[in-house]
Structures are given as structure tokens and as C-alpha cells.
């Protein structure tokens, strides 16, 4: 497996959503690649800290768009640099961390005027959450779309919903449940499943 | 014998009607609260990004979900809320347990 593919699968594996076969491939690669190991640890730490933040707040859609645009630019620039200079991959993890920090700072600066009524802490936390989510989204976008996280951002609802949405709005309200129906139906059985020989499982 | 069969059929039909009558009818869009509309709209956008076969599968699951008794639907919603409350470590562990559980089935 190449580092690039490993990078793409990291978010999914941190979320426990990577298929067992891919997870084993990723684990195999990470075991032999110190750069990806470091990157995986960094990804896990970022997502863990972001998910650990208990506060959410709505952000203007313009801010979201601006943030995503900025992340895309940063990602494109990083990709270009990586392609141009192989040795640059050594600095991939720090660059990613810097990009995250830059986006978080940009988000704070951009909304200072728009959301003055919100407590500063709320704003920062919310924007960090959006930034980290966008970062995760951007990384996964390179390969395939993956399920969105729990981030709440303001979206403009159209005055008239699309026919599909108007026909069965509750289908879409229940979408997360439908996507995890099997897990939720057997929730207790799964929770009580033991992982005593988990090491053997993850390698087998 | 025919009469017994007819009575059994009637009981089944009426019983089925009664169960369906217990389920709340699907609400139209304009009856959803702004928060619910927001949630439905965001999920709709995610849904649009899914490949067609997954969209079809979700439609089938929705039919299945709707056919469940209200108590069962409520149980699934509660389970989902519990899952949402998990921290990343717990989610990861749950994912591992799910894979283990599935492989044991």
C-alpha cells in the first residue's frame, strides 16, 4: 500500500468505519511506515479533540464556504508541493497541522464581525469543529465520499423543498438511523460482544 | 371449517389495521418544525451524494423502519442517541465489536 492511500483511509479507520480488510491493510502499512504512523496518530488526536468538544454553534454559510475554499486551496497547494518534491512528504504531518491551525484562525477572524453576540468560546469551539470536519471531509474527498460527521452547520433551506424531500421528509430526518439500522437493531448484543481476543481479530 | 378460516382472516386483517393505526402518520414537509426541516435538508444533501444503490437500500430500510411498531422505532432512536453520545474511543470500540458480532453471526 502507498502512503497516499493510507492517508485517505485514516479518518475512516479512526471513526471505526473502515472495512476490516482495508483496516488490516492500513494497519500493515502503518506498522512499517513511521510517517504514516505519525500521521495516523495526529489524525486520531485531532478528531478526538474535536469530537470531545461539547459545544456546537451555527456558523454562517458564507463562512463555511470560505473555510472550505481555503482548505481546498491549502490541500491543493500541499498536493502540488508533494508532487514536485518527494522529500517534502517528510513534513506532511506538520503541514497538515499548520493548515488546520490556519483554518481555525481564519475562521475566528472571519466571523469576528458576523457573530459578535455569541460568546467567544462558543464561536471558537464551533469554528474549530467546522474546520476540523472540513479538513476530514477534504481528506476523504480525494478518494471517495464518506459519511458526514456530527457537525452542525447552517444551511439555507430552499423555500420549496425538492420533490423527493417533500414526498418523504421523515425518511431524511431518520437518515442516520436508517444508515445504521442493523447496528441499532442489535445495539445491546453488539455492546455486550467481547473483544478478548481482539488482537487476533484485528490481524485475522 | 370455512367459517373458522374466515374469522381468522378477519382477525388478522383487523389486527393489522389496528397496528398500523397506532403508528403516527408520516408528516408532510410544512408540518415539520424549522429544526426538523433543517435536519431533513442537511440529510437530503448527504443522501444526494450517495450512489444510487445505496439510495435504494435506504429507501428499503425506511419502509422496514416504518413498518416497525412505534415502541421499536423509539428503541432504535434511543439507541442512536446513546451511540451519538459515545466518545471517539467508545465509537471505535463499538465498531470493532460490531465487526466481531457480525463475523460471529
Amino acid at each position: 500500500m502507498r502512503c497516499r492511500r493510507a492517508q485517505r483511509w485514516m479518518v475512516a479507520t479512526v471513526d471505526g468505519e473502515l472495512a476490516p480488510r482495508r483496516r488490516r491493510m492500513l494497519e500493515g502499512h502503518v506498522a512499517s511506515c513511521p510517517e504514516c504512523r505519525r500521521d495516523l496518530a495526529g489524525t486520531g488526536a485531532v478528531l478526538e479533540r474535536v469530537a470531545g468538544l461539547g459545544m456546537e454553534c451555527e456558523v454562517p454559510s458564507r463562512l463555511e464556504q470560505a473555510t472550505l475554499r481555503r482548505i481546498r486551496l491549502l490541500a491543493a497547494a500541499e498536493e502540488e508541493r508533494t508532487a514536485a518534491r518527494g522529500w517534502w512528504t517528510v513534513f506532511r504531518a506538520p503541514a497538515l497541522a499548520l493548515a488546520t491551525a490556519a483554518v481555525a484562525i481564519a475562521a475566528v477572524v472571519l466571523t469576528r464581525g458576523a457573530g459578535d453576540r455569541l460568546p467567544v468560546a462558543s464561536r471558537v469551539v464551533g469554528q474549530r469543529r467546522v474546520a476540523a470536519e472540513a479538513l476530514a471531509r477534504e481528506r476523504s474527498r480525494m478518494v471517495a465520499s464518506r459519511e458526514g460527521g456530527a457537525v452542525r452547520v447552517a444551511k439555507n433551506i430552499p423555500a420549496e423543498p425538492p420533490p423527493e424531500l417533500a414526498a418523504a421528509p421523515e425518511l431524511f430526518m431518520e437518515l442516520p438511523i436508517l444508515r445504521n439500522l442493523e447496528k441499532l437493531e442489535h445495539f445491546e448484543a453488539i455492546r455486550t460482544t467481547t473483544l478478548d481476543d481482539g488482537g487476533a481479530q484485528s490481524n485475522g | 371449517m370455512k367459517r373458522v378460516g374466515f374469522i381468522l382472516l378477519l382477525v388478522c386483517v383487523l389486527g393489522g389495521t389496528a397496528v398500523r393505526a397506532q403508528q403516527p402518520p408520516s408528516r408532510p414537509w410544512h408540518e415539520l418544525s424549522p429544526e426538523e426541516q433543517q435536519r431533513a435538508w442537511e440529510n437530503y444533501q448527504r443522501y444526494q451524494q450517495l450512489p444510487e444503490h445505496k439510495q435504494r437500500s435506504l429507501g428499503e430500510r425506511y419502509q422496514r423502519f416504518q413498518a416497525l411498531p412505534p415502541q421499536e422505532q423509539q428503541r432504535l432512536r434511543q439507541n442512536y442517541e446513546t451511540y451519538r453520545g459515545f466518545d471517539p474511543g467508545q465509537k471505535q470500540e463499538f465498531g470493532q465489536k460490531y465487526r466481531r458480532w457480525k463475523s460471529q453471526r
Side-chain angles (χ1 to χ4, degrees), chain A residues 13-20 23 47-48 51-52 56 58 145 148-159 161-162 164-198 200-202, chain B residues 24-30 32 34 36-51 54-55 58-59 61-66 68 72-73 75-84 86-105:
Chain A
T13 198
V14 167
D15 286 347
E17 291 171 352
L18 199 63
R23 189 164 44 86
L47 293 181
E48 193 176 336
E56 292 178 351
E58 291 194 345
S145 60
V151 68
R152 298 273 172 86
V153 291
K155 294 266 186 353
N156 297 325
I157 307 173
E164 217 174 357
L165 177 56
E170 291 195 323
L171 184 158
F172 299 100
M173 275 172 55
E174 308 285 12
L175 200 65
I177 292 177
L178 300 177
R179 292 189 78 166
N180 295 289
L181 198 59
E182 189 182 31
K183 287 180 190 170
L184 299 174
E185 280 177 327
H186 304 281
F187 196 69
E188 281 311 313
I190 296 169
R191 276 183 95 170
T192 51
T193 299
T194 51
L195 290 172
D196 295 341
D197 50 343
Q201 184 219 4
S202 65
Chain B
S26 188
R27 286 179 298 160
W29 172 261
H30 65 269
L32 301 183
E36 288 173 327
Q37 287 187 351
Q38 176 81 31
R39 187 148 53 97
W41 170 241
E42 287 174 13
N43 287 336
Y44 172 76
Q45 289 174 311
R46 290 183 185 123
Y47 175 87
Q48 288 297 310
Q49 291 167 5
L50 296 172
K54 284 201 172 179
Q55 291 184 355
L58 284 169
R61 288 184 201 184
Y62 179 58
Q63 302 293 334
R64 207 171 95 205
F65 181 77
Q66 273 200 319
L68 295 172
E72 180 64 4
Q73 291 185 4
R75 186 181 74 88
L76 298 185
R77 288 194 186 97
Q78 278 170 359
N79 286 345
Y80 179 64
E81 288 306 315
T82 307
Y83 178 78
R84 278 187 70 194
F86 283 174
D87 63 38
Q90 287 174 314
K91 278 187 181 169
Q92 194 167 6
E93 188 186 336
F94 186 80
Q96 288 170 353
K97 286 183 174 181
Y98 171 64
R99 286 189 288 274
R100 165 59 58 90
W101 170 82
K102 201 156 183 181
S103 69
Q104 287 171 348
R105 286 187 91 191

Side-chain angles (χ1 to χ4, degrees), chain A residues 49-145:
Chain A
R49 293 193 73 166
V50 167
L53 300 172
M55 298 162 75
E56 292 178 351
C57 76
E58 291 194 345
V59 295
S61 56
R62 222 169 54 183
L63 166 67
E64 188 202 2
Q65 294 304 321
T67 307
L68 289 173
R69 197 163 47 243
R70 177 138 195 168
I71 288 174
R72 273 197 283 276
L73 287 173
L74 284 167
E78 191 193 336
E79 227 174 29
E80 218 168 83
R81 279 197 300 272
T82 306
R85 293 179 291 182
W87 57 268
W88 178 247
T89 53
V90 174
F91 301 104
R92 195 182 294 150
L96 213 52
L98 278 174
T100 310
V103 167
I105 292 165
V108 173
V109 171
L110 276 169
T111 51
R112 187 159 283 181
D116 278 345
R117 287 189 200 88
L118 290 169
V120 172
S122 299
R123 268 189 282 141
V124 172
V125 166
Q127 287 144 11
R128 271 189 195 159
R129 178 173 283 236
V130 171
E133 179 63 22
L135 173 68
R137 229 185 297 167
E138 185 59 34
R139 294 184 72 169
S140 59
R141 186 188 63 80
M142 295 174 186
V143 188
S145 60

